[in-house]
Structures are given as structure tokens and as C-alpha cells.
Amino acid sequence: MTNPLRDPRDRRLPRVPEPCALVVFGITGDLARKKLLPAVYDLANRGLLPTNFALLGFARRDWDDVDFAELSREAARQHARTPWREEVWERLSASVRFIQGSFDDDAAFDELARTLGELEGSHGIGGNAAFYLSIPPSMFPVVLKQMQRTGMAESTAERWRRVVVEKPFGSDLPSSRELNGLVDSVFSADDVFRIDHYLGKETVQNLLALRFANTLFEPVWNGAHVDSVQITMAEDVGIGGRAEFYERTGAARDVLQNHLLQLLALTAMEEPVEFSAEEIRTEKLKVLRAVSVPTDMERFAVRGQYEQGWLAGQRAKGYRQEDGVAEDSRTETYAAVRLGVETRRWAGVPFYLRTGKRLPRRVTEIALSFRRAPHLPFAPTDTEELGHNQLVVRVQPDEGVTLKFGSKVPGSVMEVRDVSMDFLYGEQFTEASPEAYERLLLDVLLGDATLFPRNAEVEASWAVIDPLEEYWASTTPYPYRAGEWGPRAADEMLASEGRAWRRP
């Protein structure tokens, strides 16, 4: 029943989904244990889940509901963002179910369909369900066909059924189209949510507020004032136990194709007509289709692979010494590329994207470097320490915004050098930012697709990455030591144009 006293446009009151179930395939995997289960608990703890809610796990393990509830409790307690409250978990665990079976087991899927039907009566979920495919993409066809066979994928006027697909969305443009075609043949386009957890981060969304809610930045957010843009996603960890996945994928497919190109699209997009999923996606898609790859790949597309080195005082082994990695592996753990955006706003402005493992620190940021003043009325010696003005949006960690500009040094002489003005989320706001999966899971249950890329965006991203992968297939990655900011060739790429990487 609609509250007649509430304006639907008022975002101050929390939005709570309709009664529903969340079904997680691959519930025993790392993603489910470290991210999804804690996110479900945190949403319940914040009062953002409906009273009539059920959580179903599907996996091969021989467990019953009690075993699964205990595993879920431990995972949620260990990784939850909000304080632990036993009474919240008790309420949640009363609606937890586990279905044991393999993905090609007809009987197990029949049991899942029957359980969903039972929960309509016992828990009043209204037939609404979201299915989270926390499984390797190679398993998608089997699971989707089982859901189609049992009728679980069908939305009707009385109920909705949605599916959440984790990256990678294919391994190139043809495989992406094949995967998208498969998913869309089972679920309608509006019911498919392709999750890129970076888009759930608070600072990424703040980028839109920063640009379009202020008159301060938008007038200079273009090629007339911006010299270059650097988007960095650095990780200090290695590949962990993901050798099999990483050997098939590499840094460019793992991060460049989705996270970094999505950040580029949000940075370069035009103002949407309204803040709605469809309009934001329209503007992002225009940017992705306008991205140009470098003609001189040898100079402007660099990839590297970490070797043994030192990181935070600890010896770190090289990529080829990691368990499960071939001794002669040519898989990249670092990728840097210079892209262009062929629109009137950004023509001629280079976008430098880089990502890497075993770099000195974990950081993700977008840095706009502005053009130098056309004339400085100071003596050259007065401004020796003055660089480019910069606006830096830090996505993680220490989420916030930094503005770097020139200021006079106190004293009797005129000396100008760079100073920074910082805004930190943690200091400005009392409420902690929700974890990315928390926000995105809630959006799925609400049916809000604003932060989820559609088919066309995924395919436009692969159209950028495929030529790079084709060139790199015949090359060997440059080596760099663990604890360094990548191979020397990446520094030379920027130095050849009179620029340098920003040190986060």
C-alpha cells in the first residue's frame, strides 16, 4: 500500500524492496563468503531488507539448512561492516535455505523451484526472486538452461525475476556477444544486472555529484582547460590463489575492460538529461563508442609482469613463481595505455589508464591535470616548484577529493609552490559509506539499474580492448620488480609527451 504522505522523489527515507528471495549460486565461494553474505547481513542490520525475505544457497556441498546457516553466520560476522547484533542474524537465519546439487542436476533445480514456491506461502515473498550467478562464466549456459526449463526465470505481472551476472563478461567481443545473447534469451533485458562492483563505490557516484551539482568544476571540465587525465587502479597484492583465472585473463581483461573504462566513461560523459538509469547509460555509451586506441601501440600500449622484489618490508615472489603459473607465462600483471575520446569536449586530451599487481600501495584514483597558465608574471625562479593544477578523485582507500593549486610561500619574497586542499568522506560525514556490494545488492532487489552496465556498454568496452589484446598477443610483457610502480616503458610512454605519472 502506498503511503499518501510520502513523496516518491524524497530520497531521505530509506527505500526498502518488496518481499523477495535472493538465490546465490556458488554460495560456498570466496565472493559469497567475503562480500555477499556480509552485505545481506549489513542490509538487514540497517533495516533495508523487507520483513518477508529469504536467502537460498545452491552448491555441491552436502549440507543441510543448519550447516549452511552456521557457515553464513560465521562469514557475515567475520566480514560485516556494521556492528554485530545476534537478534538481527536470528531473524535472518529463520529464512535461510540450502539446496544441494550440481548445476547439471535436474532434481536439484526442481527442488529449488519447489522451495521458492513453498516460500511464497510460508514467508510471503510474493514470488519475487533475484538469482546471483557467483560462478565461473563457463557454468552460465548450464545454469541458465536449467532455470529456463523449470520456469524460474519468467517474470509475470504478479512477480519479478532478476539475474545478477559477475564479470568477466566474456573474454573478447565475440564471446561477450555470445554470453549476452544467452542471458538475454532466458531473461528480459530489463531483468539482467551485470555487476561491476566499482560502480557501487560511494566516490564513483560522487563523481557525478561533483560534476553536475556544482558550477565550480563543469566549466573547466573539458579539453580547453584539461591537459590530461590519469586513471589508476593499483594493488599491492599478488594474484593470491587465482592463478588459473589470471592465466586465462590477465590485467587488461580483468580490470581495464570493465573498472577503468567505466571510470573513464563517468569522467568524460556529458550531463544526462535526468538522473535516471537509462539517461546515464546513454551518455556513458556515447563516450565508450568515442574512445580511440593508439595507432602507435609499441609506444602507447605497455604491459608488464612483476618479478621478485620487496613490498612493505617483505620479500615478494615473482609472478612466474606463483603456484599454478607457467614458468614461461606471458600473462600481464600490469597494463598501461593512452586512449583518446573523440568528442568535442575531449578531442586532443590523452587519457592514461594503468592497473597493476604488486605495486607499492593499494589505490584507485582519477586525476585531472589542468593546463598551465598561458602567462606567469613571476620570475622563473619564483615558480620552480609549481606544477599543474590537479583535481584528484580518490575512489579507494581514504575516499575523497584533493585539489592541488599554487600558493605563495610565507616570507618576504614572492615564491609560489603547490599546496593541496583535501576533502575526506570519513572526516566530513558521520555515516560510514556502505560497501559496494551492499549498495548494488539493494539496487538489484529494488530494480534500480543506474549503476549496472548494459550489453551495449560491455560490447563497446571490448571493442577498445580487443585491438590491444591482438597487439599484445605477439609481445612479451616488460618485467618490473614487486614494489615498483610498473615497468620503465610505462614511464617512458608519458615522458615522450613531456608528462609523468602522478605518484598517489
Side-chain angles (χ1 to χ4, degrees), residues 45-249:
N45 207 10
R46 293 167 61 206
L48 296 177
L49 288 182
T51 308
N52 300 344
F53 174 79
L55 173 66
L56 287 83
F58 189 104
R60 285 193 298 256
R61 299 283 176 87
D62 187 13
W63 288 340
D64 57 22
D65 292 345
V66 177
D67 295 331
F68 174 54
E70 189 53 36
L71 166 110
S72 304
R73 180 182 182 279
E74 283 310 304
R77 183 163 192 164
Q78 188 177 348
H79 300 288
R81 179 183 66 87
T82 55
W84 184 257
R85 293 194 295 161
E86 199 64 46
E87 66 273 18
V88 171
W89 182 256
E90 287 299 322
R91 282 200 306 273
L92 199 55
S93 64
S95 306
V96 166
R97 297 287 184 275
F98 181 74
I99 310 296
Q100 191 264 331
S102 59
F103 297 141
D104 56 1
D105 183 351
D106 288 359
F109 275 84
D110 292 339
E111 172 72 7
L112 177 59
R114 189 181 62 74
T115 305
L116 277 174
E118 281 179 4
L119 289 168
E120 282 188 50
S122 63
H123 288 69
I125 63 169
N128 301 321
F131 301 92
Y132 200 115
L133 303 187
S134 179
I135 55 177
S138 57
M139 296 284 100
F140 285 4
V142 184
V143 173
L144 289 167
K145 281 169 185 168
Q146 288 280 23
M147 293 172 71
Q148 192 172 36
R149 180 186 67 79
T150 53
M152 282 191 290
E154 292 172 19
S155 292
T156 66
E158 290 76 38
R159 72 178 198 194
W160 51 257
R161 294 289 166 95
R162 298 173 186 140
V163 66
V164 185
V165 183
E166 268 283 345
K167 74 170 189 71
F169 312 118
S171 56
D172 53 19
L173 184 54
S175 64
S176 168
R177 283 183 172 149
E178 187 180 335
L179 181 62
N180 285 332
L182 177 68
V183 176
D184 288 347
S185 69
V186 180
F187 286 86
S188 69
D190 290 339
D191 293 331
V192 180
F193 290 73
R194 292 165 182 81
I195 202 163
D196 183 340
H197 70 271
Y198 255 64
L199 301 185
K201 292 186 181 294
E202 199 72 33
T203 327
V204 173
Q205 297 157 56
N206 189 46
L207 183 59
L208 298 177
L210 187 79
R211 288 189 56 190
F212 303 128
N214 302 292
T215 54
L216 180 62
F217 301 113
E218 191 59 16
V220 295
W221 204 277
N222 54 57
H225 299 91
V226 175
D227 172 72
S228 61
V229 180
Q230 292 184 20
I231 303 177
T232 297
M233 179 185 158
E235 296 179 275
D236 53 4
V237 296
I239 58 166
R242 301 167 71 218
E244 185 184 348
F245 165 78
Y246 216 80
E247 277 286 83
R248 285 196 318 269
T249 309

Side-chain angles (χ1 to χ4, degrees), residues 15 46 99 102 186 205 236 249 261 308 312 322 325 343 345 355 417 422 468 475:
R15 298 177 298 162
R46 293 167 61 206
I99 310 296
S102 59
V186 180
Q205 297 157 56
D236 53 4
T249 309
L261 283 179
Q308 182 177 291
E322 300 275 14
V325 173
T343 62
R345 181 187 288 263
T355 180
R417 74 171 183 214
D422 289 327
L468 298 172
T475 67

Side-chain angles (χ1 to χ4, degrees), residues 402-419:
T402 295
L403 186 62
K404 192 178 89 172
F405 54 93
S407 177
K408 180 187 177 298
V409 179
S412 56
V413 296
M414 174 55 79
E415 182 186 351
V416 183
R417 74 171 183 214
D418 288 331
V419 295

